[in-house]
Coordinates of all heavy atoms in Angstrom, one line a residue:
P115 N -2.9 -10.1 -5.4 CA -1.5 -9.4 -5.4 C -0.9 -9.2 -4.1 O -1.7 -9.4 -3.0 CB -1.9 -8.0 -5.9 CG -3.3 -7.7 -5.4 CD -3.9 -9.1 -5.3
R116 N 0.3 -8.8 -4.0 CA 1.0 -8.4 -2.9 C 1.3 -7.0 -2.9 O 1.9 -6.6 -3.9 CB 2.3 -9.2 -2.7 CG 3.0 -9.1 -1.5 CD 4.2 -10.1 -1.5 NE 5.0 -9.9 -0.3 CZ 6.3 -10.4 -0.2 NH1 6.8 -11.1 -1.2 NH2 6.9 -10.3 0.9
V117 N 0.8 -6.2 -2.0 CA 1.0 -4.7 -2.2 C 1.9 -4.3 -1.0 O 1.6 -4.5 0.3 CB -0.4 -4.1 -2.1 CG1 -0.3 -2.6 -2.3 CG2 -1.3 -4.7 -3.2
L118 N 2.9 -3.6 -1.3 CA 3.9 -3.2 -0.4 C 4.1 -1.7 -0.2 O 4.1 -1.0 -1.3 CB 5.3 -3.8 -0.6 CG 5.2 -5.4 -0.8 CD1 6.8 -5.9 -1.3 CD2 5.0 -6.0 0.5
A119 N 4.4 -1.2 0.9 CA 4.6 0.3 1.2 C 6.1 0.4 1.0 O 6.9 0.2 1.9 CB 4.2 0.7 2.6
K120 N 6.5 0.8 -0.3 CA 8.0 0.9 -0.6 C 8.7 2.1 0.0 O 9.8 2.0 0.5 CB 8.1 1.0 -2.1 CG 9.6 1.0 -2.6 CD 9.6 0.9 -4.0 CE 11.1 0.7 -4.6 NZ 12.0 1.8 -4.2
A121 N 7.9 3.3 0.2 CA 8.4 4.4 0.8 C 7.2 5.1 1.6 O 6.2 5.0 1.1 CB 9.1 5.3 -0.1
L122 N 7.5 5.8 2.8 CA 6.5 6.4 3.4 C 6.6 7.9 3.3 O 7.7 8.4 3.0 CB 6.6 6.0 4.9 CG 6.5 4.5 5.3 CD1 6.6 4.4 6.8 CD2 5.5 3.8 4.6
E123 N 5.6 8.5 3.6 CA 5.6 10.1 3.6 C 6.3 10.6 4.9 O 7.1 11.6 4.8 CB 4.2 10.7 3.7 CG 3.5 10.4 2.2 CD 2.2 11.0 2.2 OE1 1.5 11.2 3.2 OE2 1.6 11.3 1.1
K124 N 6.2 9.9 6.0 CA 7.0 10.2 7.1 C 7.3 8.9 7.9 O 6.4 8.2 8.4 CB 6.1 11.1 8.1 CG 6.9 11.7 9.2 CD 6.2 12.9 9.8 CE 6.4 14.2 9.2 NZ 6.0 15.4 9.9
Q125 N 8.5 8.5 7.9 CA 8.9 7.3 8.6 C 8.7 7.3 10.1 O 8.8 8.5 10.7 CB 10.5 7.0 8.3 CG 10.8 5.7 8.8 CD 12.2 5.3 8.1 OE1 12.2 4.8 7.0 NE2 13.3 5.4 9.0
Y126 N 8.5 6.3 10.7 CA 8.2 6.1 12.1 C 7.0 6.5 12.6 O 6.6 6.6 13.8 CB 9.4 6.7 13.0 CG 10.7 6.2 12.6 CD1 11.8 7.0 12.2 CD2 11.0 4.8 12.7 CE1 13.0 6.5 12.0 CE2 12.2 4.3 12.4 CZ 13.3 5.2 12.0 OH 14.5 4.6 11.6
E127 N 6.0 7.0 11.6 CA 4.6 7.3 11.9 C 3.8 6.1 11.2 O 4.2 5.5 10.3 CB 4.2 8.6 11.5 CG 4.9 9.7 12.2 CD 4.4 11.2 11.9 OE1 3.3 11.3 11.2 OE2 4.9 12.1 12.4
K128 N 2.6 5.9 11.8 CA 1.8 4.9 11.4 C 1.4 5.0 9.8 O 0.8 6.0 9.4 CB 0.4 4.8 12.1 CG -0.4 3.6 11.9 CD -1.7 3.6 12.7 CE -2.6 2.5 12.5 NZ -3.8 2.4 13.4
A129 N 1.6 4.0 9.1 CA 1.2 3.9 7.7 C 0.4 2.6 7.4 O 0.6 1.6 8.1 CB 2.4 3.8 6.8
V130 N -0.7 2.7 6.6 CA -1.7 1.7 6.4 C -1.8 1.5 4.9 O -1.9 2.4 4.1 CB -2.9 2.0 7.1 CG1 -4.0 0.8 6.8 CG2 -2.8 2.2 8.6
V131 N -1.8 0.2 4.6 CA -2.1 -0.3 3.1 C -3.4 -1.3 3.3 O -3.2 -2.3 3.9 CB -1.0 -0.8 2.4 CG1 -1.5 -1.1 0.9 CG2 0.2 0.0 2.3
D132 N -4.5 -0.9 2.8 CA -5.7 -1.7 3.0 C -6.2 -1.9 1.5 O -6.6 -0.9 0.8 CB -6.7 -0.9 3.8 CG -7.8 -1.8 4.4 OD1 -8.1 -2.8 3.7 OD2 -8.4 -1.6 5.4
W133 N -6.3 -3.2 1.3 CA -6.8 -3.5 -0.2 C -7.7 -4.7 -0.2 O -7.7 -5.5 0.6 CB -5.6 -3.7 -1.2 CG -4.8 -4.9 -1.1 CD1 -4.9 -6.0 -1.8 CD2 -3.7 -5.1 -0.2 NE1 -4.0 -6.9 -1.6 CE2 -3.1 -6.6 -0.5 CE3 -3.0 -4.5 0.8 CZ2 -2.1 -7.1 0.2 CZ3 -1.9 -5.1 1.4 CH2 -1.5 -6.2 1.2
T134 N -8.6 -4.6 -1.3 CA -9.4 -5.8 -1.6 C -9.1 -6.2 -3.0 O -8.8 -5.3 -3.9 CB -10.9 -5.4 -1.5 OG1 -11.1 -4.4 -2.3 CG2 -11.2 -5.0 0.0
Y135 N -9.2 -7.6 -3.3 CA -9.1 -8.0 -4.6 C -10.1 -8.9 -4.9 O -10.2 -10.0 -4.3 CB -7.8 -8.7 -4.7 CG -7.4 -9.1 -6.2 CD1 -7.0 -8.2 -7.1 CD2 -7.4 -10.5 -6.5 CE1 -6.8 -8.7 -8.4 CE2 -7.1 -10.9 -7.8 CZ -6.8 -10.0 -8.8 OH -6.4 -10.4 -9.9
K136 N -11.0 -8.7 -5.9 CA -12.2 -9.5 -6.1 C -12.5 -9.4 -7.6 O -12.5 -8.3 -8.2 CB -13.4 -8.9 -5.3 CG -14.6 -9.8 -5.5 CD -15.7 -9.4 -4.6 CE -16.9 -10.3 -4.6 NZ -18.0 -9.9 -3.8
D137 N -12.6 -10.5 -8.3 CA -12.9 -10.7 -9.6 C -12.0 -9.9 -10.5 O -12.5 -9.3 -11.6 CB -14.4 -10.2 -9.9 CG -15.5 -11.1 -9.2 OD1 -15.2 -12.3 -8.9 OD2 -16.5 -10.5 -8.7
G138 N -10.7 -10.0 -10.2 CA -9.7 -9.1 -11.0 C -9.7 -7.6 -10.7 O -8.8 -7.0 -11.3
H139 N -10.4 -7.1 -9.8 CA -10.5 -5.7 -9.5 C -9.7 -5.4 -8.2 O -10.1 -6.0 -7.1 CB -11.8 -5.2 -9.5 CG -12.6 -5.3 -10.8 ND1 -12.4 -4.4 -11.9 CD2 -13.6 -6.2 -11.1 CE1 -13.2 -4.8 -12.8 NE2 -13.9 -5.9 -12.4
L140 N -8.6 -4.7 -8.3 CA -7.8 -4.3 -7.1 C -8.1 -3.0 -6.6 O -8.0 -2.0 -7.4 CB -6.3 -4.5 -7.5 CG -5.4 -4.1 -6.3 CD1 -5.5 -5.0 -5.1 CD2 -3.9 -4.1 -6.8
T141 N -8.6 -2.8 -5.4 CA -9.0 -1.5 -4.9 C -8.0 -1.2 -3.6 O -8.2 -2.1 -2.6 CB -10.4 -1.4 -4.6 OG1 -11.3 -1.8 -5.8 CG2 -10.7 0.0 -4.0
V142 N -7.4 -0.3 -3.7 CA -6.4 0.0 -2.5 C -6.7 1.4 -1.9 O -6.9 2.3 -2.6 CB -4.8 0.0 -3.0 CG1 -3.9 0.2 -1.8 CG2 -4.6 -1.3 -3.8
S143 N -6.6 1.4 -0.5 CA -6.6 2.7 0.2 C -5.3 2.8 1.0 O -5.0 1.8 1.5 CB -7.8 2.8 1.0 OG -7.9 1.9 2.1
T144 N -4.8 4.0 1.1 CA -3.5 4.2 1.9 C -3.6 5.3 2.9 O -4.3 6.1 2.8 CB -2.3 4.4 0.9 OG1 -2.4 5.6 0.3 CG2 -2.3 3.3 -0.1
S145 N -2.6 5.3 3.7 CA -2.4 6.4 4.8 C -0.9 6.4 4.9 O -0.3 5.5 5.3 CB -3.2 6.1 6.0 OG -2.9 7.2 7.0
N146 N -0.3 7.7 4.8 CA 1.1 7.9 5.0 C 2.0 7.0 4.2 O 3.1 6.6 4.6 CB 1.4 7.8 6.6 CG 2.8 8.3 6.9 OD1 3.4 9.2 6.3 ND2 3.5 7.5 7.8
V147 N 1.7 6.8 3.0 CA 2.5 6.0 2.0 C 2.9 6.9 0.9 O 2.0 7.6 0.3 CB 1.6 4.8 1.5 CG1 2.5 4.0 0.6 CG2 1.3 3.9 2.7
R148 N 4.1 6.9 0.5 CA 4.7 7.6 -0.5 C 4.8 6.8 -1.9 O 4.7 7.4 -3.0 CB 6.0 8.2 -0.1 CG 6.7 9.1 -1.1 CD 7.9 9.7 -0.5 NE 8.7 10.6 -1.4 CZ 9.8 11.3 -1.0 NH1 10.2 11.2 0.3 NH2 10.4 12.0 -1.8
E149 N 5.2 5.5 -1.8 CA 5.4 4.7 -2.9 C 4.7 3.3 -2.6 O 4.8 2.8 -1.5 CB 6.9 4.5 -3.2 CG 7.5 5.7 -3.9 CD 8.9 5.3 -4.5 OE1 9.1 4.2 -4.9 OE2 9.8 6.2 -4.4
L150 N 4.1 2.8 -3.7 CA 3.6 1.4 -3.5 C 4.3 0.5 -4.6 O 4.7 0.9 -5.6 CB 2.0 1.5 -3.7 CG 1.2 2.1 -2.7 CD1 -0.2 2.0 -3.3 CD2 1.2 1.2 -1.5
Y151 N 4.3 -0.8 -4.2 CA 5.0 -1.8 -5.0 C 4.1 -3.0 -5.0 O 3.7 -3.5 -4.0 CB 6.4 -2.1 -4.6 CG 7.1 -3.0 -5.5 CD1 7.8 -2.5 -6.7 CD2 7.4 -4.3 -5.3 CE1 8.5 -3.3 -7.6 CE2 8.1 -5.1 -6.1 CZ 8.7 -4.5 -7.2 OH 9.4 -5.3 -8.0
F152 N 3.7 -3.4 -6.3 CA 2.8 -4.5 -6.4 C 3.5 -5.7 -7.1 O 4.1 -5.6 -8.0 CB 1.6 -4.2 -7.4 CG 0.7 -3.1 -7.0 CD1 1.1 -1.7 -7.2 CD2 -0.4 -3.3 -6.3 CE1 0.3 -0.7 -6.7 CE2 -1.3 -2.2 -5.8 CZ -0.9 -0.9 -6.1
V153 N 3.3 -6.9 -6.5 CA 3.7 -8.2 -7.1 C 2.6 -8.9 -7.3 O 1.8 -9.2 -6.4 CB 4.9 -8.9 -6.2 CG1 5.2 -10.2 -6.9 CG2 6.0 -7.9 -5.9

């Protein structure tokens, strides 16, 4: 997948989207992210 940080909890501060995709299982961890968008 493509995972996007659509909105942040606080703009202009560091935000991280970290994900793994294996055997159909998507696992995501975030920091300072308010909305996520998956394609």
Side-chain angles (χ1 to χ4, degrees):
R116 187 177 179 192
V117 185
L118 306 176
K120 188 176 186 296
L122 307 185
E123 292 180 336
K124 188 168 281 191
Q125 187 166 283
Y126 304 121
E127 294 190 6
K128 183 179 180 180
V130 180
V131 183
D132 195 330
W133 73 95
T134 58
Y135 185 74
K136 186 175 183 180
D137 299 328
H139 298 282
L140 175 63
T141 304
V142 185
S143 63
T144 70
S145 173
N146 188 34
V147 178
R148 184 176 180 174
E149 286 190 33
L150 284 173
Y151 188 75
F152 300 82
V153 180

